Amino acid sequence: MTPNIDVTHDPALRSWVESANDGTTDFPIQNLPFGVFRHDFEERLRIGIAIGDQVLDCLAAARAGYFDALGPMIVDMLQSWSLNALMSLGREEARAVRGATSRLLRADTAEGTSAATKRDLLLVPMALAGMTVPAEIGDYTDFYASVFHASNVGALFRPDNPLLPNYKYVPIGYHGRASSIVASGTAVRRPFGQTRPADTAPPVFGPSKALDYELEIGAFICGANTLGDPVPIGRAEERLFGLCLLNDWSARDIQSWEYQPLGPFLSKNFATTVSPWIVTTDALAPFRAPAFVRPPGDPAPLGYLTDPNDADHGGFDITLEVLLRTARMREVGAPAVHISRGDFQSMYWTVAQMLAHHSSNGCNLRPGDLLGSGTVSGPEAGSRGCLLEMTRRGAEPLSLPSGETRTFLEDGDEVTFRGWCERDGAARIGFGECRGEIRPAN
Ligand code: CA
């Protein structure tokens, strides 16, 4: 399947929602990401589509008849309080909704001309929309797909043996916790846990002293495979609803004591933050890229993880950024400071390979399931996706313009991720933000 570019990607499209046309918004009419929100003073959750600084209220648009051409089933699903029903269908249906929404929001169509007269009914200012986690996430799996992250972290924990022999064959992952996934803006409380500060003394229980973030991309699953039926690599893209930003908060001191032999547990499951907008796989079509080119000497992936289309188009050209704002910076009105940049093209495994591998034993992936990519780190010093790597496990503190230093996160620190896609011949689209502030331990 080559990336499907159609009229909805045309960079010349303009919306009757003026803020979508300014060239700087993350949400021009070429993007149209899905989210779930609650209107101010109202309880009912509803599906929304971001456009400029507004949210298209899908419930209102469906009730007004603007989606009727999609048929009663999709119209019904767009009035739901979660995206899972729409996700249960698949890419074709998501693409149909995207096409109808594009016509509805365009300045030069009959649907758009009609909708513009009903803007108070159809639009909610983003500033008044309370965003939630965009799907009912049944299962969450976190991968480890950056070879640069795996090598850097491996070198810190196992200097003699940084990259384990399975890494270049197996898309490594672990099953995470869905219940503690929160939407951007939710405060994150510093976790308590068991750590062993000195090898010669017994472990202690207390608040983590090495709290970290991990810059990741999240992938939402659509459609379903029956338990026992793997998803072949050539069909994995059909199961990929879209992507978001994801922060896999990590307590390194808890992690280093608990992770052997079964992997991370309480060091990771106290909170995971996602950005509220799911940028669909279709919106990302102009920004597809070849899969990571393995250096000479690396083994080829096994057959069940090999597909020519995935090799040619399995990557995504997404630029990521991490910003940090401390409590002191907030007090003096200083803006958040950029601390690193990530390139999602640098991942060793594609999302399709992760998805195919996950189901290769017959594991059933269900609509609304979430896959985390693993920390996005590149080869350069400015592209390390967590403080553990950036400060070399605290040995090289980060200096901030405020005069403060950081080895790990302090109470009051606010971490914000941004992500965007930019290419000649395409409209720039973005992911919004994934933000969380650390609160003191209880
Ligand atoms: Ca992770």
Side-chain angles (χ1 to χ4, degrees):
M1 201 193 316
T2 50
N4 204 329
I5 310 273
D6 60 27
V7 63
T8 65
H9 301 100
D10 182 350
L13 292 189
R14 291 290 174 274
S15 174
W16 53 265
V17 181
E18 299 79 13
S19 58
N21 303 325
D22 68 7
T24 63
T25 176
D26 277 353
F27 309 117
I29 192 166
Q30 293 83 358
N31 192 347
L32 305 177
F34 289 97
V36 173
F37 73 103
R38 185 179 269 123
H39 195 299
D40 216 15
F41 311 122
E42 245 186 291
E43 286 302 311
R44 168 97 152 74
L45 289 171
R46 39 183 87 190
I47 295 172
I49 294 173
I51 179 78
D53 62 7
Q54 305 288 312
V55 178
L56 173 71
D57 180 345
C58 289
L59 178 71
R63 282 182 178 167
Y66 285 110
F67 291 122
D68 283 356
L70 298 172
M73 186 171 66
I74 293 181
V75 169
D76 203 42
M77 288 170 171
L78 285 169
Q79 298 180 60
S80 168
W81 46 271
S82 94
L83 281 165
N84 291 59
L86 187 63
M87 288 170 160
S88 73
L89 299 177
R91 287 278 304 281
E92 287 291 324
E93 289 77 6
R95 190 178 300 132
V97 175
R98 171 180 168 82
T101 307
S102 177
R103 287 190 296 279
L104 174 65
L105 292 171
R106 274 171 67 169
D108 60 349
T109 56
E111 295 98 313
T113 307
S114 157
T117 66
K118 297 198 176 71
R119 65 180 300 148
D120 291 347
L121 173 78
L122 299 176
L123 300 181
V124 174
M126 209 172 266
L128 299 181
M131 303 304 300
T132 68
V133 174
E136 296 273 285
I137 300 168
D139 278 298
Y140 159 51
T141 304
D142 198 29
F143 283 88
Y144 198 53
S146 163
V147 71
F148 303 107
H149 174 69
S151 304
N152 288 339
V153 171
L156 293 169
F157 285 90
R158 295 177 306 271
D160 303 334
N161 187 20
L163 204 61
L164 295 171
N166 57 7
Y167 189 83
K168 293 177 177 176
Y169 293 95
V170 180
I172 300 291
Y174 67 96
H175 285 122
R177 183 82 192 165
S179 66
S180 53
I181 297 173
V182 298
S184 177
T186 308
V188 172
R189 194 166 286 285
R190 179 178 299 276
F192 277 78
Q194 191 181 131
T195 62
R196 195 179 189 189
D199 289 346
T200 51
V204 296
F205 184 78
S208 169
K209 294 188 173 76
L211 191 51
D212 200 356
Y213 61 82
E214 287 191 339
L215 173 66
E216 303 197 17
I217 288 285
F220 280 95
I221 300 294
C222 60
N225 56 301
T226 310
L227 181 62
D229 283 347
V231 181
I233 178 82
R235 308 202 61 175
E237 285 271 333
E238 295 169 27
R239 300 293 307 281
L240 189 57
F241 186 80
L243 305 181
C244 68
L245 307 175
L246 184 149
N247 186 342
D248 176 26
W249 303 97
S250 300
R252 301 302 185 189
D253 45 357
I254 301 172
Q255 184 181 356
S256 61
W257 174 230
E258 77 172 4
Y259 88 107
Q260 287 178 326
L262 285 185
F265 181 33
L266 302 182
S267 56
K268 300 276 193 175
N269 74 359
F270 58 94
T272 304
T273 305
V274 290
S275 58
W277 296 109
I278 306 175
V279 177
T280 62
T281 310
D282 290 303
L284 291 161
F287 308 102
R288 299 309 296 258
F292 184 80
V293 178
R294 296 184 169 209
D298 276 18
L302 297 186
Y304 78 102
L305 297 175
T306 303
D307 176 76
N309 272 318
D310 186 56
D312 289 347
H313 309 289
F316 292 92
D317 185 2
I318 303 171
T319 303
L320 300 162
E321 181 183 41
V322 181
L323 300 153
L324 176 66
R325 198 177 192 204
T326 68
R328 190 190 295 175
M329 291 160 73
R330 261 197 313 281
E331 276 162 28
V332 301
V337 60
H338 165 106
I339 57 172
S340 78
R341 198 176 175 93
D343 172 9
F344 195 54
Q345 271 193 81
S346 66
M347 304 303 269
Y348 198 78
W349 297 102
T350 65
V351 180
Q353 285 173 319
M354 294 182 233
L355 199 155
H357 178 69
H358 200 314
S359 76
S360 61
N361 63 348
C363 175
N364 49 334
L365 300 176
R366 296 180 298 184
D369 282 359
L370 178 66
L371 310 184
S373 65
T375 307
V376 181
S377 290
E380 310 87 22
S383 64
R384 296 186 181 130
C386 61
L387 288 173
L388 174 72
E389 284 174 75
M390 211 182 294
T391 70
R392 305 218 162 268
R393 208 176 177 177
E396 299 171 15
L398 186 67
S399 295
L400 302 174
S402 58
E404 299 169 280
T405 60
R406 283 293 179 273
T407 49
F408 291 103
L409 297 170
E410 304 281 336
D411 293 343
D413 284 357
E414 184 182 65
V415 178
T416 302
F417 298 164
R418 291 185 190 284
W420 64 90
C421 302
E422 222 164 2
R423 260 188 191 178
D424 286 345
R428 175 199 181 280
I429 63 170
F431 285 76
E433 62 178 31
C434 178
R435 182 170 51 82
E437 183 188 320
I438 304 302
R439 294 283 163 78
N442 239 341

